[in-house]
Amino acid sequence: MDPQMLFTTDFWYMAPSLSAVTVFIAGLINGKFNIVDGFWPQLVAWITGSVLSVAAWFFGLVTVGEPTWLAVVVLCVVVGLSSNGIYDIPTIKAFVDKLFGAKKE
């Protein structure tokens, strides 16, 4: 599979925005319900990031490549990783480029 077909430029521009919004909304949810212990704050961030990613695709705010279902799933994973502070977007993009042997833009 050609990663250029899956990862559009729009994908990489929207992922940081979705991550920032995810952190904000997940923080509000965690604060509202006093969720502070265990894996629960991360779970809230993963669910929030996934809902926002799917909504952004559904409403046409982000253009993804083909196959669409896989690109949306990968967007959810990228947003989830970055919003949980596990990785930043440039690191994830560099990993994907290395994994698929993609040329740098």
Side-chain angles (χ1 to χ4, degrees), residues 14-72:
M14 281 301 292
S17 300
L18 290 170
S19 296
V21 173
T22 297
V23 168
F24 179 74
I25 293 174
L28 290 177
I29 293 169
N30 289 334
K32 174 77 173 164
F33 296 104
N34 198 26
I35 302 171
V36 294
D37 294 328
F39 71 93
W40 297 107
Q42 287 82 17
L43 182 63
V44 169
W46 276 99
I47 292 170
T48 303
S50 295
V51 168
L52 288 175
S53 296
V54 171
W57 166 77
F58 183 78
F59 290 111
L61 299 175
V62 62
T63 306
V64 296
E66 294 292 331
T68 304
W69 69 269
L70 182 57
V72 172

Side-chain angles (χ1 to χ4, degrees), residues 19 78-92 95:
S19 296
V78 168
V79 170
L81 286 171
S82 61
S83 65
N84 275 293
I86 297 172
Y87 293 106
D88 62 347
I89 297 295
T91 303
I92 295 170
F95 173 74

